[in-house]
Amino acid sequence: MIRIAPAGRVLAVAAAASLALTACGGGADDTAASQETASSSAPASSAPAAAKGDGTLTLGTVLPQTGSLAFLGPPEFAAVDLAVKEINEAGGVLGKPVKAIHTDSGDTTTNIASQSVDKLLGQKADAIIGAASSSVSESIIDKITGAGVVQFSPANTSDKFTTVNDNGLYFRTAPPDKLQGRVLGDLVVADGNDTVGILAMQDSYGSGLADQIAKTAEEGGATVVERVDYDPKAAEFSADVTKIKAKNPKAIVLIGFEETSKVIQELVKQGLTADKHKWYMVDGNMSNTNYLKMPKGTLKGVKGTIPGAEAPDAFRERLLTVDKELEDYTYAAESYDAAVLIALAAEAAKDDSGASIAAKLAEVSKVGEKCKSFKECADLLKAGKDIDYEGLSGPIEFDDNGDPAVATIGVYQYGDDNKYPGKAEEYRTGNIAG
């Protein structure tokens, strides 16, 4: 666990009231059994008119079972399954069990996500949780929202989603790259680094996050001496790392997905080890599984940021009853909250159609009596009261764009075993305007 002094600039930036929150981001079996689940929401005025639902909330997922973010899949699937289990144990939605259908998102090198969406729409999904990758979500958002179905991502952090034409049907529980970039950029400077090298995957996630980190670091007095935006599908990264080595920066920021393991191997090969240069990572490559085969201590001392609150211990224990093999918990809380919020919105609307769910999502996240579980919140709704769901990932108050208006960024540090412990320093924004 790391500690940055409360007076430090990282905390000040994370608490700024005028940050523009956006979203970006970067298993289970396709034939998973039916279960309970929930859906996302948007402002009532922007959601398209739609026929009433069929009375059974059908929740689909398009999350990574394969591809460059496959390590994020297990905690996300487990969290949705746990939410569905608990929702159904509490009586379901509209008096019926929620039905959950899991599918694979793959990554941008395949057409898997589009095929998965077709399958879910064919099975009359009312809301779809996913994708984890922002680029994948960009490729399927028109198909989902154009069908009148809610798309709710637990992990998208790209700034593009704030202004995307989504018919009021796109929501996310993950805070944006703009915020994560500011926190990480300030962290780099707070650690005493005046020269910085950046290795970023070339896509909307990598390039956008690199832009914000570079801007923040330079505003703090550091100099970005080299930035390399690389092809994540490349077979090797020797030329990219050589460009960084030539400038000999004190800090090296790594922005990517699964391919980061190859980048790290090349850094070590060229002598740019973590004990000689300070490495920093982000949510797309922070993993407790991807680096275990590397020599002990390879990542010791490496720091990284993950949007969202740390998964509480009691929640982790509940997740392990669903998937006892879990080692990563990234975006588990956000996935759980997405499912619960969708279910609560359907209850509040007394209808399971996508448009009805979207029209109530903002309302159940910030209007009324505070409650912390589906059962507690659903009981209040049945008693005729308005609710304010306080989630595991944070307060969760949606703005008019379907973005979280309050956000948390966790800062983690790797140990000698190439894993980061479950405790983090967290930086929470205040209420953030658009």
Side-chain angles (χ1 to χ4, degrees):
M1 179 170 86
I2 77 169
R3 181 69 187 164
I4 297 175
R9 187 165 174 265
V10 175
L11 184 57
V13 169
S18 61
L19 290 178
L21 269 187
T22 59
C24 150
D29 190 83
D30 275 8
T31 57
S34 293
Q35 303 174 357
E36 323 293 284
T37 219
S39 172
S40 70
S41 119
S45 60
S46 59
K52 295 279 286 185
D54 61 8
T56 297
L57 178 62
T58 300
L59 180 66
T61 64
V62 180
L63 294 168
Q65 297 171 3
T66 61
S68 56
L69 282 180
F71 75 94
L72 290 181
E76 292 172 337
F77 283 116
V80 172
D81 284 342
L82 177 63
V84 165
K85 175 177 178 289
E86 293 178 353
I87 291 166
N88 286 340
E89 288 175 348
V93 171
L94 305 176
K96 296 181 180 180
V98 175
K99 179 181 180 182
I101 307 169
H102 293 317
T103 68
D104 185 17
S105 65
D107 56 29
T108 54
T109 66
T110 69
N111 194 41
I112 291 173
S114 181
Q115 295 172 15
S116 292
V117 170
D118 288 341
K119 172 183 176 179
L120 293 173
L121 294 179
Q123 297 188 47
K124 302 186 183 305
D126 301 301
I128 293 175
I129 294 178
S133 160
S134 290
S135 294
V136 173
S137 281
E138 285 180 50
S139 73
I140 58 177
I141 188 170
D142 289 345
K143 182 176 287 189
I144 296 172
T145 60
V149 172
V150 167
Q151 180 177 358
F152 199 137
S153 175
N156 287 166
T157 56
S158 170
D159 296 339
K160 291 184 178 181
F161 293 106
T162 295
T163 56
V164 69
N165 182 11
D166 60 2
N167 297 320
L169 292 167
Y170 176 88
F171 294 79
R172 57 185 169 186
T173 38
D177 287 331
K178 186 169 290 187
L179 177 59
Q180 181 181 191
R182 292 183 183 185
V183 172
L184 186 56
D186 277 331
L187 177 63
V188 169
V189 174
D191 283 349
N193 301 294
D194 56 10
T195 56
V196 183
I198 299 176
L199 280 160
M201 65 185 294
Q202 192 170 29
D203 75 345
S204 62
Y205 168 72
S207 298
L209 194 45
D211 288 344
Q212 185 61 60
I213 293 170
K215 180 176 183 290
T216 302
E218 290 184 336
E219 287 174 348
T223 300
V224 177
V225 295
E226 185 63 74
R227 170 176 164 176
V228 180
D229 287 30
Y230 62 80
D231 177 2
K233 299 185 290 294
E236 52 89 30
F237 302 94
S238 58
D240 302 309
V241 171
T242 295
K243 292 177 183 178
I244 298 293
K245 183 178 181 179
K247 300 299 177 65
N248 194 35
K250 290 182 180 178
I252 299 175
V253 178
L254 306 175
I255 306 170
F257 292 159
E258 190 177 45
E259 82 289 343
T260 299
S261 61
K262 294 182 180 179
V263 175
I264 287 175
Q265 290 169 17
E266 189 61 38
L267 286 169
V268 172
K269 182 178 179 181
Q270 295 196 28
L272 303 177
T273 53
D275 60 343
K276 296 178 182 177
H277 303 261
K278 292 179 180 177
W279 296 357
Y280 297 86
M281 298 167 69
V282 292
D283 60 308
N285 51 25
M286 289 288 288
S287 172
N288 279 327
T289 56
N290 286 353
Y291 313 113
L292 296 183
K293 294 182 180 179
M294 294 182 178
K296 187 177 180 180
T298 299
L299 273 72
K300 184 177 181 180
V302 175
K303 296 177 183 178
T305 48
I306 299 177
E310 176 193 356
D313 289 341
F315 175 53
R316 292 180 184 224
E317 291 173 6
R318 283 152 54 202
L319 286 171
L320 289 171
T321 66
V322 176
D323 183 351
K324 64 181 180 181
E325 304 298 328
L326 278 183
E327 293 187 66
D328 277 307
Y329 296 89
T330 305
Y331 292 122
E334 288 77 7
S335 300
Y336 178 91
D337 286 341
V340 171
L341 281 162
I342 291 167
L344 290 173
E347 276 286 322
K350 296 181 172 54
D351 180 46
D352 60 289
S353 69
S356 295
I357 290 167
K360 290 291 185 178
L361 270 173
E363 183 179 308
V364 299
S365 75
K366 63 182 178 183
V367 179
E369 190 170 334
K370 294 187 184 300
C371 48
K372 295 184 177 181
S373 70
F374 173 81
K375 185 179 187 311
E376 181 186 2
C377 294
D379 286 347
L380 289 171
L381 287 172
K382 290 171 184 174
K385 297 182 179 180
D386 294 329
I387 63 168
D388 176 2
Y389 174 67
E390 296 278 287
L392 290 168
S393 62
I396 313 175
E397 296 181 3
F398 293 116
D399 63 18
D400 289 343
N401 300 309
D403 288 341
V406 178
T408 301
I409 301 292
V411 179
Y412 299 78
Q413 183 168 337
Y414 278 89
D416 196 51
D417 57 356
N418 298 330
K419 297 171 69 174
Y420 60 89
K423 297 297 181 182
E425 289 303 310
E426 293 184 348
Y427 301 92
R428 176 168 292 177
T429 68
N431 287 317
I432 297 167

